[in-house]
Structure formats: structure tokens, C-alpha cells
Amino acid sequence: MSEAWDVVIVGAGPAGLAAAVYAGRARRRTVVLEKTVPGGQILLADRVENFPGYPDGVEPRSLMESFKAHVLKFGAVIERAEAKTVRPAASGWIVSCDRGDFAGRAVLIATGSVYRKLGVPGEAELAGRGVSYCATCDGAFFRDRTVSVVGGGNNALSEALYLSRLARKVILIHRRDAFRAERIIQERVFTSPAIEILRDTVIAGIEGRGRLESLSLRNVKSGAASALPVDGLFISIGTVPSTEIVRGLVELNEWGQIKVGPSFATSREGLFAAGDVTDACPPQLATAVGSGVHAALAVEDYLSRS
């Protein structure tokens, strides 16, 4: 068992790091556990242009390094450790990691979510190099270019509509003949002159030397293969909340997100959650930061009363 902490934060994405700044500044003994490098999913973006205070945009890795420096300035500790389980203890909670146990009076889960991947050749290599998972984050980089969106739900069609106001042409690819999105969103897509639809089509591969150049397509009915030159690909087939360590411990919604109250408290006392692992935070950098701050204030109130 390692030393006891006031706050154990699991996850060093924008929500976890923002919470750590506030917890550290409140002079709470705070540790942040992160299995990889601090930053989270935002590191997959080409550039961040919609975070307040950066009118010219900012490189994601540089921004997250600033977050990390801010955390360390106020005394919080960042540990490279992968959290495996969370369990209650007499004095609070214990987070078991691959490097031992971390005991905390309060625990904040900020593990985020991961974009659902296509799992095709070239996807991992060209992520952030023409392949994106967030039109709001990266759409502005493809102004007056040809882009593609893959997916058939509300988010995919909404992203296609958003991109249609920026790109020269948007090609919407769906593996089925019918879409799952709400009818009103479908009607807007069908009447947009900037959106072309490819039904019954899947992406078999993503091609490019250093940057996305084209997509390898396959028609699921005829089996016919084709190549589609595009400048950008937006993959919108859903996200998977990273809730493995608290499954069976807290209430989750139908999409597997942690249900939280107005103060980002979970269904268990002393256990909080923030960021897009919750049901109360849209997957945006600014909202993740805001939820982390809100949760940290709630943690401070809880610690002051307990």
C-alpha cells in the first residue's frame, strides 16, 4: 500500500488535469494516475482552434504539456500507473494499479472514452494526418476540400452537415441502405447539395504516404472495390466509455457512461467522475475542463465535510 492521499484522480486527460490543478491549489494531497502519457484523446487532433484563449489555435501536445506543468506547480503528483480496480475502504477508497495500491479519501474517475475504431489498415498510421474522429475539433482544417464521413447515426449525419458548411464536398459513407439518425437530420442531409451519399459501402483500407490520400471502398452487396480520393476522413461510429474499473460499482447509463449528479458525484459516496466518461459532458475539450473543475470543487466540499 502506498501513502494515503486526499484525492486520487484516475486519468490525465483534460478533465483529470483540470481537476488536479484545483485540488492541488486547495492544498489537498493529490495524485493523478495515467497509464500512458498525459493528454487523452485530444492528442489525436491535428490542432485545437476552439479552446478559449487561443485565437490562432494551439498544438494539442503543447497545450497538454502546459496543463501538466500547471498541475505540478500546485503540488499534485502524476504517476505512470494503470488503474485496474476501485474498491471501498474504511478511510475512503483504494485504487489498485499495476504498480500497487493508492488509497484516497476521495476518488475522481476521469478515464474518458475512446473513439470506436474502424480497425482497417492505415487507420492508426494516419490518425491525426487526415483521419479524425471529431469534426468540431478538426473540420476547419479542411475548408474547401473534399472530405468523407463514415457512420449512420445522429452524430455522423450531424458531422456531415457541419462539414458541409466548410468543405467543398462531403461524402457520407454508410454500410447499410438506411440510416439510424433521426428523420429530421436525415432530411437535412438528403437536401444538402454539398453532401454525396454512398450506401451499402464499407471502408476496407485507408491509404496515404504520411498523410491521407484515398480510401479503399467495398460495396457490401456487389463486392465491387473502388478507390475514393479524399483530403480528410471523419470516423463517427460512436465512442466507448472507459468504465471497466467501476463496472458493478456505480450506476451506468444505457451507453455505459457513469451517471453523475449536478456536482459530478456518482452513486457512491466519495466517488466522483468527470469528463466524457460521464453522462453529463459533451466530448469537447472545453467541457471536459469545466467538468473537471466542477468535480474538483465538489470533492473539496466533500473533504471539508467528511
Side-chain angles (χ1 to χ4, degrees), residues 223-265:
S226 61
L228 177 68
V230 292
D231 300 300
L233 169 64
F234 292 85
I235 299 172
S236 185
I237 55 175
T239 60
V240 181
S242 299
T243 55
E244 294 82 5
I245 64 171
V246 292
R247 286 189 180 275
L249 185 64
V250 300
E251 290 185 36
L252 307 178
N253 67 11
E254 60 184 301
W255 297 284
Q257 299 166 316
I258 299 174
K259 296 175 70 172
V260 294
S263 63
F264 288 89

Side-chain angles (χ1 to χ4, degrees), residues 154-175:
N154 281 345
N155 194 64
L157 271 64
S158 295
E159 293 216 322
L161 287 168
Y162 173 80
L163 290 166
S164 71
R165 300 193 293 271
L166 301 171
R168 179 174 66 250
K169 184 178 183 181
V170 178
I171 303 167
L172 179 61
I173 300 172
H174 186 40
R175 61 181 176 172

Side-chain angles (χ1 to χ4, degrees), residues 8-250:
V8 178
I9 298 173
V10 184
L17 293 176
V21 169
Y22 272 68
R25 190 170 181 272
R27 298 297 187 263
R28 295 296 183 180
R29 300 186 70 255
T30 304
V31 63
V32 184
L33 308 178
E34 173 56 55
K35 64 180 179 179
T36 57
V37 296
Q41 289 288 313
I42 194 63
L43 296 178
L44 294 176
D46 281 339
R47 193 169 178 80
V48 176
E49 288 194 326
N50 57 357
F51 191 66
Y54 293 89
D56 298 321
V58 60
E59 198 274 324
R61 193 165 297 277
S62 173
L63 181 61
M64 289 299 99
E65 283 296 323
S66 295
F67 273 44
K68 177 182 175 181
H70 205 164
V71 168
L72 298 178
K73 176 182 178 180
F74 287 118
V77 175
I78 300 176
E79 291 280 357
R80 185 74 171 267
E82 181 177 2
K84 299 292 188 179
T85 61
V86 180
R87 66 181 188 274
S91 59
W93 294 89
I94 295 174
V95 181
S96 294
C97 302
D98 55 351
R99 292 187 47 210
D101 291 346
F102 291 79
R105 294 172 58 198
V107 168
L108 172 59
I109 305 297
T111 45
S113 61
V114 294
Y115 293 111
R116 197 180 299 276
K117 307 297 194 301
L118 287 174
V120 300
E123 180 179 8
E125 294 81 358
L126 295 174
R129 295 176 173 84
V131 175
S132 174
Y133 299 87
C134 177
T136 308
C137 306
D138 298 331
F141 301 112
F142 297 90
R143 192 177 299 275
D144 299 324
R145 297 186 179 183
T146 298
V147 301
S148 180
V149 176
V150 59
N154 281 345
N155 194 64
L157 271 64
S158 295
E159 293 216 322
L161 287 168
Y162 173 80
L163 290 166
S164 71
R165 300 193 293 271
L166 301 171
R168 179 174 66 250
K169 184 178 183 181
V170 178
I171 303 167
L172 179 61
I173 300 172
H174 186 40
R175 61 181 176 172
R176 298 188 176 92
D177 180 60
F179 293 96
R180 303 185 309 277
E182 296 174 1
R183 180 63 61 181
I184 190 170
I185 300 177
Q186 292 189 44
E187 291 171 355
R188 291 169 182 166
V189 167
F190 298 158
T191 57
S192 171
I195 299 176
E196 175 185 334
I197 299 174
L198 293 180
R199 293 180 170 86
D200 302 317
T201 301
V202 295
I203 297 174
I206 302 172
E207 312 292 337
R209 290 172 293 183
R211 189 161 190 87
L212 172 63
E213 296 173 1
S214 66
L215 305 175
S216 297
L217 305 180
R218 179 175 58 84
N219 185 284
V220 297
K221 291 185 175 178
S222 68
S226 61
L228 177 68
V230 292
D231 300 300
L233 169 64
F234 292 85
I235 299 172
S236 185
I237 55 175
T239 60
V240 181
S242 299
T243 55
E244 294 82 5
I245 64 171
V246 292
R247 286 189 180 275
L249 185 64
V250 300

